[in-house]
């Protein structure tokens, strides 16, 4: 009788252990299901493109700047319409992941966040071909009096536009602030950067539309090939007579 009880107890333990293991497996599979991408198919890279309404892209970017600043504003202006038009894989892309690019990279004043955003969005869309497009956008940004964009319902006003001659946030915004006579956290500066984000998103969308039509032709050459070193166009402005030069 004792042996029978032992056998029953042993059997119950084994069955109970099996139930626990099965439950753990179900939980594990369930958790994996929760974090799995929405599409079971692996996304081919690049993700592709369909032509966008350039004005609509700019309007989205302008509004988004006041929520998450320049980098995320431009990514959102370009990617959000593609999420709506094309679905996956764009639909699963978390746009909040791009906020870090504001202020030239969390305020470090390097490449303007709007250009960072344009470059990342163009990378998803066109892959390596996108490099020529963002190169042209950067050259346009540095050589154009901005902002151009005029919102239907402005959140602020300012007097001046300026040509930065540089893709760097620090130089671009610094020159404009001096010209406008305002501080960085002023409403005028915020409005200026929101509109420039719209400008960059719109310029990028315009070039991408040409690319989609097979009409895009790169306009700007390679700074590295032209100068033998990574560079922008106005070295003397920051370096004075201490410009780094390549060894020849």
């Amino acid at each position: 009788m004792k042996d029978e009880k032992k056998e029953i107890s042993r059997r119950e333990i084994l069955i109970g252990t099996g139930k626990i293991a099965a439950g753990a497996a179900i939980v594990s599979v369930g958790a994996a299901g929760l974090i799995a991408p929405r599409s079971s198919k692996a996304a081919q890279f690049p993700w592709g493109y369909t032509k966008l309404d350039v004005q609509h892209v700019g309007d989205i970017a302008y509004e988004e700047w006041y929520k998450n600043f320049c980098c995320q504003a431009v990514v959102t202006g370009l990617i959000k319409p593609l999420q709506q038009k094309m679905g996956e894989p764009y639909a699963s892309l978390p746009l909040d992941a791009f906020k870090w690019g504001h202020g030239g990279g969390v305020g470090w004043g390097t490449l303007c966040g709007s250009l960072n955003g344009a470059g990342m969005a163009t990378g998803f869309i066109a892959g390596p071909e996108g490099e020529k497009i963002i190169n042209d956008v950067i050259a346009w940004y540095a050589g154009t009096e901005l902002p151009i964009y005029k919102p239907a319902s402005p959140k602020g006003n300012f007097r001046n536009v300026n040509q930065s001659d540089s893709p760097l946030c620090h130089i671009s915004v610094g020159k404009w602030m001096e010209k406008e006579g305002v501080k960085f956290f002023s409403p005028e500066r915020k409005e200026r950067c929101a509109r420039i984000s719209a400008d960059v998103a719109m310029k990028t969308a315009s070039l991408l539309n040409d690319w989609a039509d097979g009409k895009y032709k790169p306009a700007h050459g390679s700074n590295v090939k032209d100068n033998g070193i990574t560079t922008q166009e106005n070295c003397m402005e920051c370096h004075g007579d201490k410009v780094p030069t390549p060894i020849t």
Side-chain angles (χ1 to χ4, degrees), residues 25-56:
I26 290 167
V27 170
S28 177
V29 171
L34 287 173
I35 61 172
R38 295 177 201 174
S39 174
S40 59
K41 294 181 181 178
Q44 290 189 339
F45 183 79
W47 292 355
Y49 184 70
T50 186
K51 288 174 67 175
L52 300 177
D53 180 320
V54 172
Q55 183 66 43
H56 183 53

Side-chain angles (χ1 to χ4, degrees), residues 171 231-245:
I171 294 175
T231 182
Q232 55 183 54
E233 301 297 321
N234 62 334
C235 302
M236 300 292 286
E237 192 165 14
C238 288
H239 291 286
D241 59 355
K242 296 180 180 178
V243 180
T245 54

Side-chain angles (χ1 to χ4, degrees), residues 155-227:
K155 300 181 189 299
N157 291 292
F158 52 85
R159 300 184 308 277
N160 293 290
V161 297
N162 76 305
Q163 181 174 315
S164 65
D165 296 317
S166 170
L168 300 183
C169 168
H170 175 71
I171 294 175
S172 176
V173 75
K175 283 183 175 180
W176 180 86
M177 284 165 52
E178 184 177 20
K179 190 174 182 180
E180 186 75 6
V182 296
K183 294 183 178 180
F184 184 78
F185 291 106
S186 66
E188 292 89 350
R189 197 281 308 168
K190 293 176 182 177
E191 179 69 8
R192 178 257 186 191
C193 287
R195 294 191 193 189
I196 282 185
S197 295
D199 284 328
V200 170
M202 292 171 72
K203 179 65 175 180
T204 307
S206 178
L207 294 182
L208 283 167
N209 285 350
D210 286 346
W211 175 73
D213 285 337
K215 298 189 299 185
Y216 170 69
K217 292 182 180 179
H220 189 72
S222 167
N223 281 11
V224 174
K225 289 180 180 177
D226 290 346
N227 300 297

Side-chain angles (χ1 to χ4, degrees), residues 122-142:
T122 305
F124 285 118
I125 291 165
E129 288 185 48
E131 190 169 320
K132 293 177 181 178
I133 294 171
I134 190 59
N135 189 43
D136 280 350
V137 174
I138 292 171
W140 167 85
Y141 173 102

